[in-house]
Amino acid sequence: MEKKPHFVRRDFLPREVPSVSLALLLAAVLLLNALLYLYLNKFYNSLGRVETDPGLCPFGHFKFGAVKNCSPWLSCEAINREVRKLKCVGEGAVKKVFLSEWKEKKVVLSQLTNSELKEDFLHGLKMLKALQSKYVVRLLGYCEQQFTILTEYHPLGSLRGLNETLHIPKYKGMNTWHRRLMLAIDYVSIIRYLHSSPLGTLVMCDSNDLDKVLSQYLLTSDFHVLVNDLDALPLVNRSAGRLVKCGHRELRGEFVAPEQRWPYGEDVPFEDDLMPPYDEKTDIWKIPDVSNFFLGHVEGSDIVRLHLFDIHAACKKKDPAERPSAQEVLDTYRKVLTLLIREAAMPGTREML
């Protein structure tokens, strides 16, 4: 009698199980990628690094805190009548800064201290008015006659105190490579904004050393960066042949760009008239040093530095024309953040596939 062939189902099981596992794994990867996309989209929006901000008021107006309506910038009369000084919290070459109070809200009142520098003070006010955006500290009012500027108060102060802030128990959870890289992205976003501002290409001249750079920026309570001091912000206009010089004194040190240093050697005394001008690429030269400060020495920061090595090497090209634009640096920073978040979210996925 002819035997019927037997079909053994278990012969197919080894193929079915890996197929199901692979399908589940791919579904998980797709889900993680979708979640990652949503997270990064939310992250970039929360950065506020776009010029079109629906929360901004029309020119000449402001709002802050929980207030919904926009108010006009405070006038001389309103500042004198409604703003009360509390204490001096800082003093520079151009102005003295007072923690003050307006309608039970903390604000900052800045006043000119050196009449010889009134042009610098008024230039800073002009820049502050023209560049109002999510990159710039909020202007609340001013009085040109009394050389007074009123701005929003940020209790965490300038970036000089970043490391100290991150060691406060309340903020220790922020002391990660991820958050620090986000701050570096904020900083580069501001440089990119200044280089393509509504006024044209602006150079951040108050940046002759790291400490000076950090003093120009504020750390907000939700851990973002704002530029605060715009007194030294000259305009580059290549089509008109206009370049800049950051001050009239000789600049030294590795922090400033090579083209900012006296090119004729120690034997030739410095003369401002003989010093060649330069462009915005001086800001690009300084980005790696500032970002190195932001990244600090937390777990994972060396991995970030490794991924940024090539773009930072390009920033340090001796020839300014060979350095990347601020936009190119910003694009690279964002790509690195996306890559590292993806790797952190899906460790070992590539090997599993």
Side-chain angles (χ1 to χ4, degrees):
M1 189 167 106
E2 185 180 355
K3 292 186 179 180
K4 294 182 180 180
H6 294 281
F7 296 98
V8 183
R9 293 181 60 87
R10 65 174 176 269
D11 290 343
F12 294 91
L13 286 177
R15 291 184 181 180
E16 290 177 359
V17 172
S19 298
V20 172
S21 299
L22 184 59
L24 290 173
L25 180 58
L26 287 172
V29 170
L30 290 173
L31 177 60
L32 282 171
N33 272 304
L35 292 173
L36 181 62
Y37 171 80
L38 292 172
Y39 168 79
L40 289 172
N41 187 55
K42 181 180 178 182
F43 157 67
Y44 287 130
N45 288 334
S46 71
L47 273 179
R49 304 303 128 184
V50 292
E51 286 78 14
T52 54
D53 172 24
L56 284 177
C57 293
F59 182 81
H61 295 73
F62 73 92
K63 67 177 178 179
F64 71 106
V67 178
K68 293 183 178 180
N69 298 324
C70 295
S71 303
W73 287 334
L74 300 186
S75 63
C76 297
E77 181 184 0
I79 291 174
N80 292 332
R81 185 181 65 249
E82 300 173 12
V83 177
R84 182 170 64 95
K85 291 181 185 177
L86 299 178
K87 64 178 180 178
C88 179
V89 292
E91 183 173 2
V94 178
K95 53 187 176 285
K96 185 177 287 188
V97 180
F98 296 90
L99 175 63
S100 305
E101 191 174 61
W102 173 71
K103 293 188 176 180
E104 300 183 348
K105 297 181 179 68
K106 296 289 193 304
V107 293
V108 173
L109 188 72
S110 301
Q111 292 184 318
L112 178 69
T113 54
N114 185 347
S115 59
E116 295 180 359
L117 298 175
K118 64 181 180 181
E119 293 303 320
D120 291 343
F121 184 91
L122 292 176
H123 176 75
L125 173 58
K126 176 185 175 182
M127 295 294 105
L128 195 56
K129 290 159 63 177
L131 298 175
Q132 283 295 288
S133 64
K134 284 193 173 182
Y135 304 98
V136 179
V137 69
R138 192 163 299 162
L139 177 64
L140 308 180
Y142 64 92
C143 180
E144 285 194 34
Q145 298 93 313
Q146 298 174 7
F147 297 99
T148 299
I149 299 173
L150 193 70
T151 54
E152 190 174 10
Y153 172 62
H154 293 279
L156 296 182
S158 79
L159 288 176
R160 285 190 293 190
L162 174 64
N163 289 323
E164 289 76 11
T165 298
L166 288 172
H167 283 95
I168 297 173
K170 179 181 178 181
Y171 299 112
K172 279 189 174 181
M174 298 286 194
N175 197 17
T176 64
W177 69 264
H178 172 250
R179 179 59 65 172
R180 284 176 171 270
L181 179 54
M182 287 167 64
L183 292 175
I185 289 174
D186 276 4
Y187 167 72
V188 177
S189 296
I190 293 171
I191 298 299
R192 199 272 307 167
Y193 174 64
L194 295 178
H195 288 185
S196 57
S197 82
L199 301 177
T201 301
L202 299 168
V203 181
M204 193 67 177
C205 265
D206 259 345
S207 56
N208 298 336
D209 57 64
L210 179 61
D211 192 64
K212 186 64 174 175
V213 170
L214 298 176
S215 70
Q216 310 302 305
Y217 297 86
L218 295 171
L219 180 65
T220 67
S221 296
D222 59 349
F223 268 71
H224 288 297
V225 179
L226 295 174
V227 63
N228 180 52
D229 196 329
L230 303 174
D231 295 346
L233 211 61
L235 179 68
V236 169
N237 188 337
R238 284 192 184 82
S239 60
R242 183 193 301 167
L243 300 178
V244 305
K245 287 192 285 187
C246 291
H248 304 286
R249 293 181 293 180
E250 182 178 2
L251 301 178
R252 296 176 177 269
E254 293 298 316
F255 187 82
V256 295
E259 64 271 23
Q260 292 184 281
R261 303 172 210 153
W262 180 243
Y264 303 117
E266 296 288 338
D267 297 333
V268 181
F270 176 83
E271 287 187 40
D272 184 44
D273 291 340
L274 297 178
M275 180 67 198
Y278 35 82
D279 62 17
E280 77 280 3
K281 290 299 184 74
T282 58
D283 289 333
I284 303 300
W285 171 274
K286 298 160 189 174
I287 286 176
D289 298 292
V290 180
S291 289
N292 187 55
F293 167 81
F294 278 121
L295 292 175
H297 300 284
V298 297
E299 183 180 355
S301 62
D302 287 341
I303 299 296
V304 179
R305 286 186 179 90
L306 185 63
H307 281 81
L308 296 177
F309 180 85
D310 288 341
I311 192 67
H312 282 173
C315 291
K316 291 294 188 179
K317 294 281 189 181
K318 188 172 183 180
D319 182 354
E322 295 181 3
R323 296 174 203 154
S325 67
Q327 184 65 62
E328 290 171 320
V329 178
L330 179 59
D331 290 343
T332 301
Y333 274 40
R334 286 174 169 170
K335 287 176 184 175
V336 168
L337 176 65
T338 302
L339 172 67
L340 293 178
I341 290 178
R342 182 180 291 123
E343 289 182 352
M346 297 180 290
T349 301
R350 186 179 301 171
E351 289 76 5
M352 292 170 67
L353 290 173

